[in-house]
Amino acid sequence: MGTRRVRLLFLTFYVVSLIVWIAEEIFTLSNPSEYFDKYRVMIATIESFIAISSFLVVFILYKELKEESLENHHAKSQIHDLKRTNRILKNPELGFWKEVKTQMEEWKLTQTETEIAILILRGFSQKQIAAVRKKSLRTIENQTASIYEKSAMRGKLEFISFFLTPLLPEED
């Protein structure tokens, strides 16, 4: 049986046990106490089972909520990527650089970091960027590290791949 089916079966059993508990409470309140004393063990067992079941239901609902949240996040990420790809493909020459600049703004890169990021996308090495910008290699290394940190990328290849992947055709 699938986990969803087991959960549904458990929740159905839980609802039935709640109905039995409510009926038991009505019985207890509407009858003299000697009836209650007779069935005390059975009543305590039912109430204990319902209490334990309640914790299990809360745990199951929490797990399902986490799973749904993760699926929702993944779906939103895919939608964002597809929209980005669509914008680029509508006008490849203009769309690509417009999308690059939009993404740089989304990552909150400074103007200098944006300029360096564009040089990275054009394939420049850090030494070449330092020479073009007339800055020390150490400064460029620090700025590229900042770019990768803000973009949540691990390095140059992942950074370039982020922008080029939407342009690649689907694999057969």
Side-chain angles (χ1 to χ4, degrees):
M1 263 199 292
T3 58
R4 288 210 184 269
R5 187 176 172 128
V6 169
R7 288 178 183 164
L8 182 62
L9 188 63
F10 178 76
L11 290 174
T12 303
F13 186 71
Y14 178 71
V15 168
V16 169
S17 65
L18 283 177
I19 292 169
V20 168
W21 179 54
I22 291 169
E24 174 264 322
E25 287 296 321
I26 292 170
F27 175 79
T28 302
L29 292 173
S30 63
N31 289 304
S33 62
E34 64 266 4
Y35 285 115
F36 179 73
D37 290 340
K38 255 186 189 176
Y39 301 105
R40 180 177 306 250
V41 171
M42 183 179 75
I43 291 169
T45 303
I46 290 171
E47 289 177 345
S48 297
F49 173 76
I50 291 170
I52 291 168
S53 298
S54 296
F55 286 114
L56 288 173
V57 166
V58 168
F59 178 73
I60 288 170
L61 292 175
Y62 174 76
K63 277 186 71 172
E64 284 186 8
L65 185 63
K66 292 274 286 185
E67 286 173 12
E68 293 295 326
S69 175
L70 188 61
E71 286 178 25
N72 188 19
H73 176 72
H74 184 66
K76 282 181 179 180
S77 177
Q78 282 184 322
I79 289 169
H80 178 74
D81 290 347
L82 288 172
K83 284 181 178 180
R84 183 169 56 92
T85 301
N86 192 35
R87 285 191 302 265
I88 291 171
L89 293 177
K90 279 184 181 176
N91 185 353
E93 288 104 33
L94 263 177
F96 178 79
W97 290 110
K98 184 178 178 190
E99 193 57 37
V100 166
K101 289 185 180 180
T102 301
Q103 187 62 58
M104 303 292 172
E105 289 170 7
E106 197 174 297
W107 287 332
K108 296 179 177 47
L109 297 185
T110 65
Q111 182 62 37
T112 301
E113 290 169 338
T114 300
E115 291 168 8
I116 292 170
I118 290 170
L119 292 173
I120 292 169
L121 286 173
R122 290 189 181 276
F124 282 60
S125 69
Q126 290 182 339
K127 280 184 178 180
Q128 291 170 323
I129 294 171
V132 167
R133 297 192 52 80
K134 296 181 175 101
K135 299 289 181 186
S136 73
L137 181 58
R138 187 74 180 137
T139 299
I140 300 303
E141 288 171 348
N142 289 336
Q143 289 170 322
T144 55
S146 176
I147 291 167
Y148 299 146
E149 183 178 330
K150 288 180 180 180
S151 65
M153 303 291 161
R154 288 175 281 175
K156 184 176 185 174
L157 290 177
E158 187 176 359
F159 185 77
I160 293 171
S161 175
F162 177 83
F163 292 100
L164 293 183
T165 300
L167 300 174
L168 299 175
E170 290 295 316
E171 294 177 25
D172 290 328

